[in-house]
């Protein structure tokens, strides 16, 4: 293996290497933040991006990690319930639903109720995943009963169905719609305020490099970090 | 049969059950002795050979070679095939298709501890002896049927086995090669101090190569002994056909033998009680009318079939007894021997042989 | 020819989706992708670990296939059924199962950790193990099928020449079923190369260490469908070239 | 026995993770899970669609395997390599590829939609197609291996008795390679049963229509590891029981 | 050979190349005629049979049956095997292992358009004729070697082929069954209006069953004709051994034939130029000292080998010519015939036959 051992110390008394387990939907933002952090602090950051639930399982089975950034509070709770968190998690980002429609909005969708037309094909996320839970809440708030053709396993899959033209609309996160502006338009709707998804982050109990872990947490919530996240479409508290 | 027990190299009583079929074969072979196992198709020859090789376990009985027990179900003794010092030529050769002829023959010597070079050298010697030096590098698929069989023979002999088992080793060879290979085999078997069991259909192979013949039918021994005895005194139809004799069973009173309620023969020998009567097809003369003259056996018969048989014709006759007769083509033409024709058959008493049955 | 029609249909069914991918792929980005060090590292890791996993599967799976095909023992039906378990287990669950056993807190893993100080998860070894776990049944079932189809009388002939079980196995049985073993190895290697769920769960997703191509494809899917397609096509091309060159050699050999 | 040691190791390697799962499974919730209508529906759909996919693979794949094994034609190497494509393609990408071809806007799908008004995605048919796409190579490679191992002289004998290619194939070749076909079908069925990525991508996930057990397991994993383990074990038990009963019958038959 | 071309059913010139080996065999067979193809192992017999069956394409030449071209590479004509009205018995049977004996035999009739019931009925009839009715429901693995071969024969005959190809159909049969099967085969072949090619090693099979013999060596015809001619006048060592004669080639001047620079024989026939000289082993007498008396051929020789041969012993002799001699065991004992012993050999001129070579 070419895994680097202790790096020369730099910055504010933090050094070495840092392992961050982060939700796959954070791949782009966290990669950018990680690079900035490395440059600023001289700490080598290693990411393990995967689904939040898989990460939670890995952590609970003893994976060597310092920080866990989850895409949903539920998976964070799994880790905390097993006693693997060090302190309280903080919410560093929020995501809001939009209606993704093909570029140019051919069906003229403007609200959730437009999705209930009989021949409209709609993709939602499954209720087990955060975007599905959020969609359920939003639909309840709007008082709209909707029968989707599919309950996708994650928001990217739902978005892909729109991009490939298989469905006429899908409820996805604003960040995802923004990343795909070449193919889709994101239509904001008021009820999405009722269904906001929080991204919590925490330092782990078995962290080998707690100093660097805390520094990373702070860096994510610093202006630099917030900037990256906002650009990607997240709301930051 | 009458040797002291100590001289026996192989001492076995093979009992094997295979579905409906049951083999029950006592068998002993002395050092250097070649025993031929003959019998009609399905008699159990291959079954016996497989039991000796350890490819089929005995159901009962025992199998001992040189005082060492190989298989004894009652005592739960069992030596697996690969630890038995045997060599086998299978009825369909079973040459390893992925190895050359040379490597097929070298396979056994390698397993018996020779180095690669030595084993190949020995294999090359054997192939040369078999006249196959030019084919050493061929794969079995590129060999003709007879070439393959000679390679199989070389493969079995190359391990210098204590018990050599041959399942029709010469069946696929052409007449010339057969003569040579038989001669080679004879030379080798004569020098061989181990026991040899030869399964064959060809009486000539058995007569040339074997010291003793064991003939089985339907899993049981029907006759056993040296070639001369068996040739002279067959005891079943199968053996009679094997050695080319007409054979009948009957009740003797002096020279007269009654074969059925209303038919009998006069024989050259005197006996009393159950006997076999045998005479060769060439001893049967055919006549258009009842012959008279010197006292002989005569009876009317109908021609059932005619075949060429070497230079002669072999005539199958129905009548009070079924009999085969050999006549020259000239005689046949003169007698107009066609199926359905009625003729008289005659056999001189002096040409028949009678011997006790049972 | 009554056989050519379904054969052609089958081929079409397998090839059309590939055509779809090729039509959609952003070819202009290909050169750039191919020079990205992360892509090359993932490609190399994929091929290496799939090959190691195949070797491991051959070493353990061929004897197991022989056991199933040639030895009568009580519980053989059960063992044969157990062999198919990783086939049916969703790979992610397979990864979880591997964590439960070989993880730092796992049945075997905790002992390994305490005794030798070895932790398997999140290492390249873990990638190989995860791939081997998922791919081994393909090898076993293919080889068992080949062994059952082979003529056992050649093995009898070898025994009469003094060859024990082991020699018979290596010198006679294996060469005879070589095409079957080759087919099984191809299946096994391809399955290992495409393995994703168990790998990312058991071994994680560390570039250069455990990030194989399928894992990279998964991550690319999160951001960019086209990038994922290009990566898949790269993986595909490499594997097809390797398989095409190997298989024809094996089959004719 | 030099063969028993690796065989035992191999078996252990395959079985230990299962033990890990069994140890972790919350047995008390099992009866409740088993009576959930959604679980039963997913189970039934999985078995049905895997079986249909296997039938489809047999119908198209066996002739294709025959073509590869017995007919000399230009481009055979290429076809043989193309057959392995779905093996290596990450299943999710395979699903995308299927969408690109059979989707509403796809190459074939748009024509199907315009001509017959048929749309495949999000239907049970799509589940079968996705599973067949992923599983077919297993069948083809196993059957091709068996065909290459079979003695072609029996086919010559059939020809001398007046049998054309088709009759020879159905009456002589197929019975001779039956164990190989059975092994291939088992692999194919098991792979189809465990298929997840291509299915959820091409057919989506709707309970009772396209939600197979692996999809249900995946979604359960998102919230509740124990629930996912129980579902996996249910799927496993069903498949092992079916395979164990079928395979021993086929093999001895 | 001298029949008008119109009478020929099969008219072929088979040229096949297989690696180093090249078969070049002109072959014609008339309706109802049985031609036996004999030759040593590896001569190309199976190759010729496969070319006739369409399992090997010709490299050159042609193959026509009943005026219909089956294979003619120059004209790009090719009829595939399944459309040729043939029946084949393969050297290793190739019974379908998954079918019962009955279904093996019924396979051909089914393919030739019979209904399932009719085909099975015909198969059952054939098995009964072959004495295998009791084994109809067995799978090939449960049959003995000879039983399997009879099933293969029934399978080939059941399609009533225009061209029947037999690759050693009787090789695995025991002596008794062989006689019966040969007789049945003879009966069937006599009734058969098609052409038959019989590949065999057994001269007896050839003599009994065939109307004409074609003998090939190394892919080429070395002798051809009816049994009587070939038996009387062998032209190669292989043929001589096949028919059991000693054969030499030399230069004749009247009754004297010079075989080498310093050895010659006196023969019964008068010729001039290149001739063959043949005489049977039984015509060779052995003497401990040079015999005198009536003019005869005598020469000193050394015994190279002794084998039993039927009731007699066959002695292989070295000397100016290599020769085989048959003597009775009694004579052998009296002469103390062991290898290495020197004796005098004598052959009466009247017992030798000379005929032109080339
Ligand atoms: N696997 C089997 N199951 C049941 N019966 C069998 C099996 N193999 C052989 N038999 C039967 O056992 C008997 C003896 O067969 P075996 O092969 O020993 O005969 P054989 O004397 O070698 O005949 P051949 O001269 O034709 O080779 C036959 O009746 C045969 O049908
Ligand atoms: N596939 C092959 N490739 C190359 N040479 C072959 C192949 N098959 C056979 N031969 C060679 O062709 C020659 C003729 O073989 P063939 O099988 O026709 O002989 P045969 O007369 O039938 O002999 P036998 O009486 O031993 O069966 C032999 O020298 C053989 O080695
Ligand atoms: Mg036998
Ligand atoms: Mg031949």
């Amino acid at each position: 293996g070419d895994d680097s051992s202790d790096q020369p110390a730099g910055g504010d008394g933090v050094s070495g290497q840092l392992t961050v387990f982060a939700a796959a939907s954070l791949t782009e933002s966290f990669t950018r933040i990680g690079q900035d952090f490395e440059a600023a602090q001289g700490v080598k950051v290693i990411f393990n991006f995967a689904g939040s639930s898989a990460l939670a399982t890995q952590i609970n089975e003893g994976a060597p990690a310092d920080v866990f950034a989850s895409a949903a509070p539920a998976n964070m709770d799994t880790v905390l319930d097993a006693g693997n968190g060090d302190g309280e998690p903080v919410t560093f980002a929020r995501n809001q639903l939009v209606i993704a429609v093909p570029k140019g909005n051919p069906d003229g969708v403007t609200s959730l109720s437009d999705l209930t037309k009989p021949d409209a094909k709609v993709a939602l996320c499954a209720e087990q995943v955060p975007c599905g839970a959020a969609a359920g809440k939003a639909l309840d708030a709007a008082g709209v009963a909707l029968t989707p053709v599919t309950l996708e396993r994650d928001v990217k899959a739902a978005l892909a169905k729109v991009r490939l033209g298989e469905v006429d609309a899908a409820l996805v996160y604003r960040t995802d719609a923004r990343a795909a502006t070449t193919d889709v338009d994101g239509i904001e709707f008021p009820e999405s305020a009722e269904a906001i998804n929080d991204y919590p982050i925490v330092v782990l109990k078995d962290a080998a490099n707690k100093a660097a872990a805390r520094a990373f947490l702070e860096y994510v919530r610093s202006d630099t970090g917030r900037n990256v996240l906002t650009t990607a479409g997240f709301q930051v508290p | 049969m009458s040797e002291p027990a100590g001289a026996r190299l192989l001492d076995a009583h093979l009992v094997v059950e295979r579905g409906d079929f049951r083999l029950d074969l006592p068998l002993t072979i002395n050092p250097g002795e070649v025993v031929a196992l003959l019998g009609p198709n399905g008699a159990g020859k291959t079954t016996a050979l497989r039991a000796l090789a350890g490819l089929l376990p005995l159901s009962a009985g025992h199998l001992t070679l040189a005082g060492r027990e190989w298989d004894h179900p009652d005592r739960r003794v069992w030596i697996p095939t690969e630890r038995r010092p045997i060599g086998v030529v299978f009825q369909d050769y079973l040459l390893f298709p992925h190895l050359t002829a040379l490597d097929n023959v070298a396979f056994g010597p390698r397993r018996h501890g020779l180095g690669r070079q030595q084993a190949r050298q020995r294999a090359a010697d054997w192939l040369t002896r078999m006249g196959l030096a030019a084919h050493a590098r061929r794969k079995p698929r590129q060999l003709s049927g007879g070439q393959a069989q000679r390679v199989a023979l070389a493969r079995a002999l190359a391990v210098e086995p204590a018990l050599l088992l041959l399942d029709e080793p010469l069946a696929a060879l052409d007449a010339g090669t057969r003569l040579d290979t038989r001669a080679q085999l004879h030379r080798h078997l004569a020098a061989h101090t181990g026991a040899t069991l030869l399964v064959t259909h060809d009486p000539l192979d058995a007569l040339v190569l074997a010291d003793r013949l064991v003939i089985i039918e339907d899993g049981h021994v029907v006759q056993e002994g040296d070639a001369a005895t068996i040739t002279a005194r067959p005891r079943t139809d199968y053996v009679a056909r094997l050695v080319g004799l007409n054979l009948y069973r009957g009740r003797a009173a002096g020279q007269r033998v009654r074969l059925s309620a209303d038919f009998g023969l006069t024989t050259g020998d005197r006996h009393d009680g159950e006997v076999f009567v045998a005479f060769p097809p060439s001893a049967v003369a055919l006549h258009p009318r009842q012959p008279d003259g010197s006292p002989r056996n005569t009876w009317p018969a109908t021609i059932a079939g005619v075949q060429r048989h070497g230079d002669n014709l072999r005539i199958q006759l129905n009548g009070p007894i079924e009999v085969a007769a050999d006549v020259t083509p000239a005689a046949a033409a003169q007698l107009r021997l066609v199926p359905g024709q009625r003729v008289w058959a005659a056999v001189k008493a002096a040409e028949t042989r009678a011997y006790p049955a049972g | 020819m009554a056989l050519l029609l379904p054969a052609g249909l089958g081929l079409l069914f397998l090839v059309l989706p590939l055509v779809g991918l090729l039509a959609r792929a952003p070819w202009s980005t290909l050169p750039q992708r191919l020079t990205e060090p992360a892509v090359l590292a993932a490609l190399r890791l994929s091929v290496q670990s799939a090959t190691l996993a195949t070797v491991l599967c051959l070493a353990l799976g061929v004897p197991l296939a022989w056991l199933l095909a040639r030895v009568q023992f009580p519980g053989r039906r059960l063992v044969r059924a157990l062999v198919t378990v990783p086939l049916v287990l969703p790979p992610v669950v397979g990864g979880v199962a591997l964590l439960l056993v070989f993880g730092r807190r796992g049945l075997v893993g905790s002992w390994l950790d305490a005794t030798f100080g070895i932790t398997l998860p999140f290492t390249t070894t873990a990638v190989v193990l995860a791939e081997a776990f998922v791919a081994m049944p393909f090898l076993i079932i293919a080889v068992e099928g080949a062994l059952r189809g082979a003529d056992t009388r050649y093995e009898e002939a070898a025994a009469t020449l003094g060859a024990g079980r082991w020699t018979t196995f290596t010198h006679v049985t294996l060469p005879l079923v070589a095409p079957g073993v080759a087919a099984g190895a191809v299946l096994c290697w391809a399955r290992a190369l495409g393995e994703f769920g168990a790998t990312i769960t058991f071994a994680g997703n560390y570039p250069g260490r455990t990030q194989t191509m399928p894992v990279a494809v998964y991550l690319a899917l999160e951001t960019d469908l086209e990038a994922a397609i290009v990566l898949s096509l790269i993986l595909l091309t490499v594997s097809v070239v390797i398989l095409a060159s190997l298989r024809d050699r094996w089959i004719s050999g």
Side-chain angles (χ1 to χ4, degrees), chain A, chain B, chain C:
Chain A
D2 55 351
D3 61 324
S4 36
S5 47
D6 285 1
Q7 295 284 310
D12 308 333
V14 291
S15 61
Q17 78 178 33
L18 179 71
T19 306
V20 177
F21 278 32
S25 55
L26 294 168
T27 305
E28 277 195 310
S29 319
F30 264 41
T31 306
R32 173 102 23 93
I33 292 174
Q35 282 165 359
D36 294 348
F37 181 71
E38 273 188 3
Q41 305 279 335
V43 175
K44 177 151 178 60
V45 184
I46 297 166
F47 284 109
N48 180 26
F49 293 113
S52 301
S53 57
L55 294 174
T57 305
Q58 290 173 347
I59 290 165
N60 286 346
E61 291 305 321
D66 299 307
V67 175
F68 176 38
S70 170
N75 302 120
M76 180 58 78
D77 292 344
T78 311
V79 170
L80 298 181
D81 291 349
N84 286 322
D86 181 12
E88 281 300 304
V90 287
T91 299
F92 66 94
R94 294 206 158 108
N95 219 342
Q96 202 171 349
L97 289 181
V98 296
I99 303 171
V101 294
K103 194 77 188 167
N105 195 1
D107 296 336
V109 174
T110 54
S111 72
L112 279 185
S113 52
D114 289 338
L115 303 182
T116 58
K117 286 179 194 156
D119 55 344
K121 287 191 172 180
V122 179
L124 298 184
C125 292
E127 61 184 8
Q128 290 92 335
V129 296
C131 66
K137 282 188 213 158
L139 288 169
D140 282 351
V144 169
L146 180 64
T147 309
V149 292
T150 175
L151 297 164
E152 290 295 317
R153 62 182 175 134
D154 61 23
V155 64
K156 293 293 178 187
L159 185 67
K161 295 288 192 300
V162 178
R163 298 179 69 182
L164 294 171
E166 294 304 332
V167 296
D168 304 314
L171 292 188
V172 304
Y173 289 128
R174 182 195 285 150
T175 53
D176 302 302
R178 186 166 297 183
T181 43
T182 46
D183 292 334
V184 301
D185 284 339
I187 308 220
E188 307 272 352
F189 60 97
E191 295 85 353
S192 69
E194 304 297 320
I196 285 177
N197 184 40
D198 291 344
Y199 281 65
I201 188 168
V202 78
V203 175
L204 293 169
K205 194 186 77 196
D206 289 343
N209 195 348
K210 283 203 176 146
R214 296 215 171 84
F216 184 77
L217 234 69
E218 244 144 60
Y219 195 80
V220 169
R221 299 169 67 211
S222 70
D223 286 344
T224 331
R226 292 161 72 97
N227 233 337
V228 174
L229 290 166
T230 327
T231 316
F234 288 104
Q235 294 159 291
V236 286
Chain B
M1 298 278 82
S2 51
E3 290 87 358
R8 289 173 185 167
L9 182 56
L10 176 83
D11 181 352
H13 181 187
L14 308 174
V15 180
V16 182
E17 313 209 335
R18 259 183 138 175
D20 299 345
F21 177 78
R22 182 183 159 95
L23 175 76
D24 186 338
L25 171 65
L27 185 69
T28 58
I29 313 184
N30 296 327
E33 193 184 22
V34 179
V35 171
L37 190 62
L38 286 101
N41 290 132
K45 304 182 295 298
T46 299
T47 303
L49 188 133
R50 289 175 63 83
L52 289 170
L55 298 171
L56 271 178
L58 295 183
S59 315
H62 67 273
L63 164 53
T64 309
L65 192 111
R68 175 128 191 256
E69 283 199 326
W70 282 4
D71 192 351
H72 200 144
D74 291 348
R75 298 199 199 146
R76 303 180 165 274
V77 174
W78 168 256
I79 304 287
T81 303
E82 66 267 23
R83 304 229 314 276
R84 302 187 181 186
I86 53 176
V88 183
V89 176
F90 291 91
Q91 206 166 357
D92 36 7
Y93 327 152
L94 296 179
L95 295 178
F96 303 128
H98 59 291
L99 298 182
T100 61
L102 187 76
D103 287 334
N104 261 285
V105 180
F107 187 93
R110 275 292 278 159
R111 304 287 90 72
H112 286 73
L114 257 63
R116 178 184 302 266
Q117 277 317 312
Q118 289 168 292
R120 297 192 140 214
Q121 189 51 52
R122 188 188 293 178
D125 292 349
W126 272 107
L127 286 178
T128 307
R129 243 179 281 182
M130 293 286 169
L132 284 170
H135 297 74
R137 308 247 151 250
R138 295 252 183 117
K139 293 281 177 71
R141 284 204 76 137
Q142 297 169 320
L143 296 171
S144 74
Q147 290 162 350
Q149 202 164 27
R150 275 182 286 159
V151 174
L153 195 54
R155 185 174 72 168
L157 292 174
V159 298
E160 294 168 357
L163 175 61
L164 183 62
L165 302 168
L166 309 168
D167 201 350
E168 320 229 9
L170 306 174
L173 301 180
D174 68 69
T177 319
R178 190 165 187 149
L179 215 69
D180 289 348
T181 314
R182 192 190 283 143
Q184 273 166 12
L185 191 58
H186 185 238
R187 228 177 297 136
H188 180 86
L189 294 182
H192 187 46
T193 54
T196 304
L197 185 76
L198 168 74
V199 166
T200 179
H201 285 129
D202 185 340
L204 196 59
D205 284 348
L207 297 177
V208 170
L209 295 172
D211 300 306
R212 185 154 52 87
L213 275 54
V214 175
I215 296 165
I216 58 173
E217 287 180 39
D218 197 21
H220 294 272
V221 177
V222 295
Q223 199 164 355
E224 189 170 355
D226 62 24
T229 315
I230 286 180
T231 317
R233 304 190 150 196
R235 304 186 74 85
T236 73
D237 281 345
Y238 168 75
V239 183
R241 280 206 283 195
L242 199 66
V243 301
L245 291 178
N246 291 303
L247 179 72
Y248 310 94
R249 190 177 176 135
R251 202 163 177 85
Q255 282 192 305
R256 190 70 196 163
V257 180
R258 178 155 299 281
L259 302 183
S260 66
D262 48 10
F263 188 78
L265 289 174
T266 306
T267 65
D269 310 296
R270 297 185 157 274
H271 287 282
D272 279 297
E274 286 286 305
V275 292
F276 286 113
V277 180
F279 53 90
S282 58
V284 183
L286 298 187
H287 303 266
R289 252 158 271 106
Q290 175 157 25
D292 38 31
S294 63
R296 38 169 39 163
N297 300 296
T298 63
W299 65 92
T302 312
I303 294 179
V306 181
Q307 292 170 29
R308 269 184 280 177
H309 185 247
D311 293 337
N312 294 325
L313 292 176
R314 173 155 291 180
I315 317 288
Q316 295 292 343
L317 299 168
N318 290 338
I321 55 175
E322 293 195 354
V323 67
D326 281 357
V327 300
T328 61
Q334 184 197 338
L335 286 164
R336 313 194 87 257
L337 296 179
V338 293
Q341 173 90 8
R342 294 193 57 85
V343 292
W344 281 81
V347 177
K348 282 193 208 161
E351 294 200 80
T352 67
R353 231 168 3 216
Y355 43 93
Chain C
M1 271 299 313
L3 278 169
L4 288 180
L5 183 71
L9 269 179
L11 187 60
L12 212 63
F13 178 55
L14 289 177
V15 167
L16 265 184
L18 184 63
V19 173
L21 284 184
L22 291 174
R24 182 70 179 242
W27 293 108
S28 53
T29 65
L30 189 67
Q32 172 208 335
R33 290 274 165 204
L34 270 180
T35 51
E36 267 175 36
V39 170
L40 288 182
L43 197 57
R44 194 171 51 235
L45 183 71
S46 287
V47 173
Q48 282 174 349
S49 54
T51 307
L52 283 175
T54 306
V55 170
L56 183 65
C57 288
L58 283 169
L60 302 183
V62 171
L64 191 48
W66 170 84
L67 193 72
L68 288 175
R70 288 284 188 278
V71 183
Q72 290 274 8
F73 59 94
R76 184 161 72 155
R77 287 170 62 117
L78 181 71
V79 170
R80 187 176 290 133
L82 285 177
V83 161
T84 60
V85 162
L87 270 180
V88 183
L89 207 61
V92 176
V93 179
V96 170
L98 285 171
L99 269 183
L100 292 177
V101 172
F102 296 107
R104 217 156 44 147
R105 316 245 163 98
L107 300 176
V108 177
S110 55
W111 171 78
L112 280 179
D113 196 9
T115 318
F116 305 103
I118 297 174
T119 51
L120 289 175
F122 313 112
T123 61
T124 307
T125 311
V127 176
V128 174
L129 285 183
E131 292 181 349
F133 177 70
V134 171
M136 183 129 71
F138 295 96
L139 185 88
I140 294 176
I141 295 179
V143 174
E144 196 203 334
L147 284 172
R148 288 188 174 275
D151 193 338
T152 54
R153 294 175 311 152
Y154 291 107
E155 296 171 14
E156 293 180 352
T160 67
L161 293 165
R165 277 187 168 183
W166 172 253
T167 321
T168 303
F169 179 71
T170 54
H171 284 64
V172 176
T173 314
L174 268 191
L176 283 178
V177 299
V181 174
V186 163
L187 285 173
C188 179
W189 188 79
R191 180 69 187 87
L193 196 69
E195 189 353 78
F196 156 68
T199 310
I200 197 172
T201 308
F202 182 49
N205 167 23
Y206 296 99
R209 180 143 47 97
T210 67
Q211 189 182 74
T212 58
M213 280 298 272
V215 173
V217 168
Y218 165 81
L219 269 194
L221 269 176
E222 284 293 320
T223 52
D224 182 358
L225 182 63
E226 270 79 19
I229 292 180
V230 172
L231 288 185
S232 303
L233 288 177
I234 293 175
L235 177 63
L236 216 65
T237 311
V238 169
S239 70
V240 161
V241 166
I242 292 181
L243 285 183
S245 60
L246 273 187
R247 282 193 74 206
D248 275 12
R249 197 164 316 151
W250 282 356
I251 282 174
S252 60

